[in-house]
Amino acid sequence: GAVVSQHPSWVICKSGTSVKIECRSLDFQATTMFWYRQFPKQSLMLMATSNEGSKATYEQGVEKDKFLINHASLTLSTLTVTSAHPEDSSFYICSARVPSGNYNEQFFGPGTRLTVL
Amino acid sequence: EDKVVQSPLSLVVHEGDTVTLNCSYEVTNFRSLLWYKQEKKAPTFLFMLTSSGIEKKSGRLSSILDKKELSSILNITATQTGDSAIYLCAFNAGGTSYGKLTFGQGTILTVHP
């Protein structure tokens, strides 16, 4: 199956700093990637849809100026959490949609655990 | 607003038991319903159910989509400790929301030896 990687797998930062998370499709090209956030014992919440070469589409309630998404190539999307605060501490997961075959299937990255002190 | 509700939220069983997990949905533009298993990291894909494929089976796991009742069930027979995980169902919308997944809260399954 298709492989999606994320880097870093975990990060601890101070309040007020910015953190960048990378999502890569390793063996396929992904025109569309999705970013999710998952708080402890809760489900995945879609934050935004990342489209290669265009602006991301954010879900209602997600601040686009705080969560910057860049999808500059067909294999890489980045999420930057700007001026992070403790309430941003969460598990961030990306997924990529395979561009051919079954469009309903998304492959998930292993996730990045962000802790803001 | 589109909504996916799972029940029960948690379930504790012993090895060998059979479990049934429920997922109901209220969506405006249904395309497919998916089941995922999440252990310590990201979800892994189990099944996809659509209008043309309402029943799927893989080993001890099976799933059925009831379009009339707007619900789906995931069955696991002869459970093993390795089945302990969070089981998530999600619907995939059509139209302009094509490809976006909306997840339910998940069911935490714990299988004791």
Side-chain angles (χ1 to χ4, degrees):
Chain A
V3 179
V4 177
S5 71
Q6 276 185 246
H7 177 81
S9 56
W10 60 270
V11 57
I12 302 173
C13 69
K14 292 182 179 179
S15 186
T17 60
S18 294
V19 174
K20 181 186 282 189
I21 303 170
E22 294 184 347
C23 176
R24 292 182 186 273
S25 55
L26 298 186
D27 50 1
F28 66 100
Q29 294 182 329
T31 55
T32 302
M33 291 182 174
F34 302 91
W35 286 97
Y36 297 84
R37 181 168 51 183
Q38 185 177 32
F39 292 107
K41 298 190 178 181
Q42 294 187 26
S43 191
L44 279 73
M45 297 295 294
L46 179 65
M47 299 175 65
T49 303
S50 171
N51 299 296
E52 187 268 336
S54 65
K55 291 183 179 179
T57 304
Y58 290 82
E59 294 300 299
Q60 193 171 10
V62 178
E63 301 174 57
K64 61 180 181 180
D65 294 329
K66 180 169 181 64
F67 298 100
L68 302 178
I69 291 173
N70 187 298
H71 195 156
S73 79
L74 287 170
T75 59
L76 173 65
S77 175
T78 60
L79 169 69
T80 301
V81 183
T82 62
S83 187
H85 290 284
E87 58 264 30
D88 297 324
S89 298
S90 186
F91 192 48
Y92 292 86
I93 307 175
C94 73
S95 72
R97 193 170 70 199
V98 179
S100 60
N102 188 344
Y103 275 81
N104 288 320
E105 191 169 358
Q106 293 182 23
F107 290 89
F108 287 84
T112 296
R113 188 160 302 283
L114 169 64
T115 302
V116 184
L117 302 176
Chain B
E1 184 181 333
D2 296 333
K3 190 167 61 172
V4 180
V5 177
Q6 290 185 245
S7 64
L9 295 181
S10 66
L11 190 56
V12 180
V13 300
H14 287 94
E15 273 192 318
D17 289 349
T18 293
V19 298
T20 299
L21 311 183
N22 300 284
C23 176
S24 64
Y25 57 91
E26 294 177 21
V27 302
T28 53
N29 197 350
F30 176 86
R31 185 170 180 87
S32 62
L33 187 139
L34 299 94
W35 283 96
Y36 289 87
K37 177 182 181 182
Q38 184 179 25
E39 296 176 86
K40 294 188 177 177
K41 292 193 173 179
T44 53
F45 174 79
L46 294 176
F47 298 118
M48 184 184 71
L49 302 160
T50 66
S51 300
S52 58
I54 61 174
E55 186 168 354
K56 294 286 176 72
K57 182 176 172 62
S58 175
R60 296 179 294 104
L61 278 66
S62 63
S63 182
I64 299 173
L65 176 69
D66 187 333
K67 288 182 61 184
K68 184 178 178 182
E69 296 296 326
L70 303 183
S71 65
S72 174
I73 60 170
L74 175 68
N75 277 320
I76 308 175
T77 60
T79 52
Q80 302 170 358
T81 55
D83 295 327
S84 296
I86 301 174
Y87 289 84
L88 298 163
C89 83
F91 89 89
N92 188 344
T96 56
S97 299
Y98 184 66
K100 289 170 51 174
L101 295 181
T102 301
F103 283 86
Q105 323 94 298
T107 294
I108 303 173
L109 174 64
T110 304
V111 182
H112 288 309

